């Protein structure tokens, strides 16, 4: 695990500013949600932490190490994408062990860890299946197992529940939230879903037009919005949120 610090991150694409002066610290073992509408800069921020984007100005640090210019493969981050990005020419267990294989972990050791993760996620019986034959929820769990297999210092999740039906999404929210808590992993969780952020994250960073509008606990963001934008954006899902147990 690692403490992640973003210091005055700014990312531009030509004349367009995607991230504008974002400063944020994710504590060791904390899950912080990046919440906001499409195009607000949350995915660019996550990609900057991963190393897929290099900021024009500002720094990214893991603990006290500046990793701003360190390539993604040397950052030891786990990634869970919206589209799962599973390899269709590999079985489930081959997908999960892929990162360990690239790190030259012995076959027996990597398979042992993969089976343990698949069992933990309730899909141990799917180890030899073609991932393309699995349901969306099952594929999501395979993607999470693959990300966790390398024992990442930081786990990055980009809209991981998008595309799932409401009933499955509700169940996976609870299961994944419990799993992340048990693993005590440091994570950034990108979502546009207010209720999802409230349920999954220790703190929420609300973004708009590349800037942070507010950072606080779910209860603080919901009950004491710092700006008109936060008030209106969180209120979009207001009917469901009072049932969240703080």
């Amino acid at each position: 695990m690692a403490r992640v610090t973003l210091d005055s991150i700014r990312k531009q694409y030509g004349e367009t500013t995607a991230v504008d002066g974002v400063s944020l610290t994710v504590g060791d073992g904390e899950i912080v949600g990046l919440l906001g509408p499409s195009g607000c800069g949350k995915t660019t921020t996550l990609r900057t932490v991963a190393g897929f984007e290099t900021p024009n100005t500002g720094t990214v640090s893991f603990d006290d190490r500046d990793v701003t210019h360190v390539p993604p493969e040397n950052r030891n981050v786990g990634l869970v994408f919206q589209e799962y990005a599973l390899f269709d020419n590999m079985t489930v267990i081959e997908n999960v062990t892929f990162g360990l294989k690239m790190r030259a972990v012995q076959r027996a050791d990597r398979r042992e860890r993969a089976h343990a993760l698949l069992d933990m996620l309730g899909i141990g019986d799917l180890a030899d299946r073609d991932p393309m034959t699995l349901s969306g929820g099952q594929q999501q769990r395979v993607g999470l197992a693959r990300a966790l297999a390398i024992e990442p210092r930081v786990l990055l999740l980009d809209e991981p529940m998008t595309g799932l039906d409401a009933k499955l999404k509700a169940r996976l929210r609870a299961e994944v939230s419990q799993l992340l808590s048990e693993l005590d992993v440091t994570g950034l969780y990108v979502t546009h879903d207010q209720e999802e952020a409230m349920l999954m994250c220790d703190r929420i960073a609300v973004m708009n037009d590349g800037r942070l509008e507010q950072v606080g606990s779910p209860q603080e963001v919901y009950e004491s919005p710092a700006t008109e934008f936060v008030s209106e954006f969180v209120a979009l899902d207001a009917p469901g949120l009072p049932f969240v147990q703080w």
Side-chain angles (χ1 to χ4, degrees), residues 172-219:
L172 285 179
R173 280 174 181 165
E175 292 177 357
V176 173
S177 179
Q178 181 178 352
L179 176 64
L180 295 180
S181 178
E182 291 173 355
L183 293 172
D184 199 27
V185 67
T186 301
L188 269 178
Y189 193 106
V190 166
T191 183
H192 65 274
D193 186 315
Q194 298 91 328
E195 186 174 356
E196 192 170 305
M198 297 282 174
L199 291 168
M200 300 291 295
C201 303
D202 299 309
R203 285 190 300 143
I204 296 172
V206 183
M207 294 191 69
N208 180 38
D209 289 335
R211 300 182 179 90
L212 286 179
E213 294 268 344
Q214 184 174 0
V215 180
S217 69
Q219 185 173 8

Side-chain angles (χ1 to χ4, degrees), residues 6-223:
L6 305 178
D7 186 5
S8 303
I9 294 296
R10 182 180 179 86
K11 179 63 181 179
Q12 293 178 277
Y13 301 98
E15 298 298 315
T16 301
T17 301
V19 179
D20 190 4
V22 167
S23 293
L24 177 68
T25 297
V26 183
D28 196 348
E30 181 181 35
I31 304 295
V32 170
L34 291 177
L35 174 66
S38 297
C40 72
K42 57 189 186 292
T43 292
T44 300
T45 301
L46 180 139
R47 287 175 59 84
T48 301
V49 175
F52 298 131
E53 304 287 353
T54 301
N56 297 92
T57 59
T59 59
V60 180
S61 300
F62 290 178
D63 292 329
D64 296 322
R65 181 191 177 201
D66 186 339
V67 298
T68 309
H69 299 285
V70 173
E73 61 270 20
N74 294 331
R75 295 195 186 194
N76 193 25
V77 298
L79 301 164
V80 181
F81 299 104
Q82 174 181 330
E83 63 278 8
Y84 314 124
L86 301 176
F87 302 120
D88 59 9
N89 61 336
M90 299 181 183
T91 64
V92 165
I93 196 164
E94 287 170 342
N95 266 274
V96 176
T97 59
F98 180 77
L100 296 172
K101 185 177 181 180
M102 294 300 99
R103 288 162 171 77
V105 175
Q106 293 296 313
R107 184 175 186 273
D109 292 336
R110 62 181 186 254
R111 289 183 66 88
E112 181 181 358
R113 176 152 182 79
H115 278 298
L117 284 167
L118 292 173
D119 287 342
M120 184 187 302
L121 289 164
I123 52 172
D125 58 328
L126 304 179
D128 296 320
R129 288 273 297 275
D130 176 346
M132 298 304 105
T133 68
L134 305 182
S135 69
Q138 291 168 335
Q139 289 188 37
Q140 195 253 20
R141 296 182 200 207
V142 175
L144 183 58
R146 185 176 64 182
L148 292 170
I150 62 171
E151 298 183 325
R153 300 187 70 199
V154 181
L155 182 64
L156 305 176
L157 304 102
D158 189 6
E159 301 276 10
M161 304 289 181
T162 298
L164 302 179
D165 66 70
K167 187 175 182 180
L168 176 59
K169 184 183 292 187
R171 188 174 81 242
L172 285 179
R173 280 174 181 165
E175 292 177 357
V176 173
S177 179
Q178 181 178 352
L179 176 64
L180 295 180
S181 178
E182 291 173 355
L183 293 172
D184 199 27
V185 67
T186 301
L188 269 178
Y189 193 106
V190 166
T191 183
H192 65 274
D193 186 315
Q194 298 91 328
E195 186 174 356
E196 192 170 305
M198 297 282 174
L199 291 168
M200 300 291 295
C201 303
D202 299 309
R203 285 190 300 143
I204 296 172
V206 183
M207 294 191 69
N208 180 38
D209 289 335
R211 300 182 179 90
L212 286 179
E213 294 268 344
Q214 184 174 0
V215 180
S217 69
Q219 185 173 8
E220 289 169 343
V221 170
Y222 179 66
E223 295 183 350

